[in-house]
Amino acid sequence: VGGLLDLIPASIRYLALPALGGWALASLVIDGRPPHHALLSAARYGASAGTLAGLRPTAPVGSSIGPVASVQTAPAGDEPRYRAGRVRGPATITLRYPAQLEVTGRRPAKAVTASSPLANAKQVRVRGLAGRPLARGAQIQVPEAAEVVFR
C-alpha cells in the first residue's frame, strides 16, 4: 500500500485523502448508527461468547457439561398431573401425586441385587392418577441405563 501512496502527490495524500475519509465516515450510517457505534458493536460481538442460550453466554456446542444435581418440575397449577417427558438414570424421582407405574422391559440380572423392584427395569412408564397430593412423596430410584417415561 505504501508504494501506491507514494505515487499520489503529497498535497492529495496529506490533505485530500484524510478530508475525504472524514467526510465518508461522518456521512456513513450503518444500520442507522454512526460508524463509531457500529465499530464498537462489532468489536464487542467479536469478543463475546459465540454460543448463546436465552440471550446468555453458554458452553459451545459439543462441549461437556457436568451433571445437574437437581431438577424440579411441578404441575401447572390448574390440575394435579405429571408433565410428559423422559428421565434417564441414574436419578432419584419423587412422585407427589398418585401414579401407576408400568415396567416395560427387564435387563439381565446383575451380580449385585438391589432392594428396589425397578433395579433391573429398562423402562418404566408413569401414568398420573386423579387424586389429592400424597402426604409423603414416593421416591423411585432409576438405575443407570434405565429411563422413566411420563405420559
Side-chain angles (χ1 to χ4, degrees):
V1 174
L4 291 175
L5 288 176
D6 285 340
L7 297 175
I8 300 173
S11 60
I12 294 175
R13 190 172 45 202
Y14 294 125
L15 184 64
L17 285 181
L20 184 63
W23 171 82
L25 287 175
S27 63
L28 183 66
V29 176
I30 301 171
D31 291 337
R33 299 180 290 173
H36 62 283
H37 287 216
L39 182 62
L40 182 64
S41 295
R44 190 179 317 132
Y45 176 76
S48 67
T51 307
L52 300 177
L55 299 178
R56 294 191 179 119
T58 186
V61 176
S63 64
S64 178
I65 299 175
V68 177
S70 175
V71 176
Q72 298 179 358
T73 62
D78 54 354
E79 61 181 272
R81 65 178 180 87
Y82 295 107
R83 296 186 181 260
R86 294 177 185 265
V87 176
R88 290 192 173 89
T92 302
I93 299 174
T94 304
L95 301 175
R96 303 263 183 217
Y97 291 94
Q100 178 182 8
L101 303 180
E102 176 187 338
V103 178
T104 59
R106 295 272 181 195
R107 294 180 301 181
K110 295 184 178 181
V112 178
T113 59
S115 60
S116 170
L118 304 175
N120 292 330
K122 281 186 179 178
Q123 187 180 65
V124 178
R125 293 186 180 171
V126 178
R127 185 172 62 91
L129 302 174
R132 299 177 58 98
L134 302 173
R136 295 188 79 157
Q139 287 194 340
I140 301 174
Q141 296 292 332
V142 183
E144 189 172 349
E147 76 176 349
V148 176
V149 178
F150 289 88
R151 48 185 179 118

